[in-house]
Amino acid sequence: MSRLLISAAHKSSGKTTISVGLCAALSAQGLKVQPFKKGPDYIDPMWLGQASGRACFNLDPYLMTPEQITTCFARHAATADIGIVEGNKGLYDGLALDGSNSNAALAQLLDLPVVLVLDARGMTRGIAPLILGYQAFDRNIRIAGVILNQLGGARHESKLRAVIEHYTDVPVLGAIAHDPRLALVERHLGLMPNHELDDAGQRVRAMGELIAQQVDLSRVIQVAQSAAPLAPTPIPQQVLPLADAPTATAQKTPIRIGVARDKAFGFYYPDDLLALEQAGAVIVPVDTLLDPRLPELDGLFIGGGFPEMFMAELQANATMRGSIHAAIEAGLPVYAECGGLMYLARTLRWKDQVYDMVGAIPADVVMHARPVGRGYVELQATGDAPWSAMAGSSPSMVRGHEFHYSSLENIAPDLKFAYRVLRGHGVDGQRDGIVHRNVVASYAHLRNAAGSGWAEAFAAFVRARKVAQDQSAAAVAAAAARTVQVNGCAVATDVEGYLKNIDDWSEDFARAQAEAENLELTEAHWQVIAFLRAYYEEHRVQAQVRAMIWHFAKAWGPEHGNNHHLHALFPIGGPQKQGNRLAGLLKTKGEH
């Protein structure tokens, strides 16, 4: 399996530019290039995916076990001609003192030959001890070549080549002159995502052509081919491409999960989307900027992005914001991360400008000049989430990452949270994962392949809710028959199951109607039915829920005499509809 790691002596050496250019140049030669990115990152992988035409997968020693990393790499690289891993920061940099989560540790785990990108500005003879030191620091790491970057001209290049050839045994695979055409666009949070640029494809092609002119691609391929074979790993049935979606898994109730994919939102791990599809979800793209409203969905995933760059456009699409708000209030399961959380809030303020967002989460977002939360996080489940984002993890703690310049203000005091923050910042340094109805919205980014299992858990929750809704609809349809058989006699009802003649009611009718609606009547049901009939006799209108709550709070106490318990007793339409229908009351337009 041909493979290599592109690393550097320090960050901002040009790894991303060269990695993107290599992917584009090798792809232009007809090779299938599978890109990978070390560490938590969304933007670099988007550019690498653009250059290779294949989704880029992240390899993260802090979030993933060695087995998870090896499996992810082997499975996806197995279908390609060459695997290219772009490192982060410097070759030996990492959180751990022992280097266990460094780029070098990843290179050792996957037996990756290392190509070192060296920013050679202002360097001549000093480049030799730099290379020698990197070789000597860890003899288990094989530095198979260097690519010199940001050269000042032909003379500068010739001096560096002579020094490296004289003092080291490391070959120079390429020498790249300083060229503004090789620069990727940056802004306040780093690189600009490729999906925000209309000319991203043209930029990548140009980078590939420039790299092909200044890097010996044949020698790069030879370095990749020098890697020893990896132990065999089961190959997945399909590798997720950039645009095409796999068919939903068979023998599962199909579910439609919308994914916000536009210029405002685009931060998604491809293995998360693949996990949703393998869990039986059909991914439905949603454009929050241009689509007038949500399509027919069973769930919604709004990932990270830069909503602050598109505040005016997001506010202008009022019909989409209203559609999402209404769907959330109706119980639509929604998972939102960072930018998605910001979009679901009431308002978004940046640089003295305030714009309205969806308004489903009772809080306001404020952008700051410096990061509020940045780096890895550790979360512990609180049990308040409608679905567990930590399915399969033990104990109920999971790692993720965050990178946000915003904070929340005017937070409703009664909000529930899905997580306690053990490491990181989250919403307020202690909590993250705002819970509202069936929404979980957090600053933390989770990754299914890193052990959280959130994708399968979310899909399972969406499916269970859809099945319950389908069953309720079927029950309502059955209850809407125009007759109900009571002791062998047909009793007429309207299409909603209300009696045509109130005098036809009997306890046997209530039992027959309840059986048709898959409801087992208990003493509590009969007490509600008796109250509803007595109320109707006195007022000649159906009792409203507030009247029931007032009555049963005194009769049963506040623990059971409340709206939640009454709706639990009558799951199809609540006590206002199902309760009155079983009580044999006529459908009325009045309200008391």
Side-chain angles (χ1 to χ4, degrees), residues 225-355:
Q225 291 174 337
S226 69
L230 283 178
T233 301
I235 300 174
Q237 295 180 353
Q238 49 203 334
V239 175
L240 182 67
L242 287 179
D244 300 330
T247 304
T249 305
Q251 298 180 342
K252 291 182 179 179
T253 300
I255 52 176
R256 290 167 55 85
I257 294 182
V259 176
R261 306 206 77 165
D262 47 49
K263 290 186 175 182
F265 304 103
F267 293 171
Y268 301 98
Y269 288 121
D271 35 15
D272 282 359
L273 301 182
L274 182 57
L276 287 174
E277 290 167 332
Q278 290 177 337
V282 175
I283 301 299
V284 182
V286 175
D287 192 322
T288 60
L289 301 172
L290 300 178
D291 291 347
R293 60 188 56 84
L294 285 179
E296 193 69 27
L297 297 174
D298 302 306
L300 178 62
F301 177 24
I302 310 176
F306 295 115
E308 68 271 18
M309 301 300 299
F310 302 92
M311 297 189 301
E313 293 91 334
L314 290 170
Q315 175 181 272
N317 195 352
T319 56
M320 173 57 79
R321 291 188 292 110
S323 176
I324 294 175
H325 190 283
I328 287 174
E329 293 305 306
L332 181 72
V334 178
Y335 179 45
E337 290 184 339
C338 200
L341 163 62
M342 297 164 66
Y343 180 50
L344 294 182
R346 282 186 300 243
T347 62
L348 174 54
R349 175 159 57 91
W350 188 33
K351 297 181 179 179
D352 298 323
Q353 297 185 51
V354 181
Y355 289 89

Side-chain angles (χ1 to χ4, degrees), residues 144-181:
V146 297
I147 295 178
L148 306 176
N149 194 26
Q150 301 287 7
L151 299 183
R155 185 180 178 185
H156 187 200
E157 177 185 343
S158 63
K159 286 184 177 180
L160 289 171
R161 284 184 179 273
V163 168
I164 294 171
E165 182 179 352
H166 180 76
Y167 288 104
T168 81
D169 59 354
V170 178
V172 176
L173 304 179
I176 301 171
H178 175 74
D179 192 327
R181 291 174 295 176

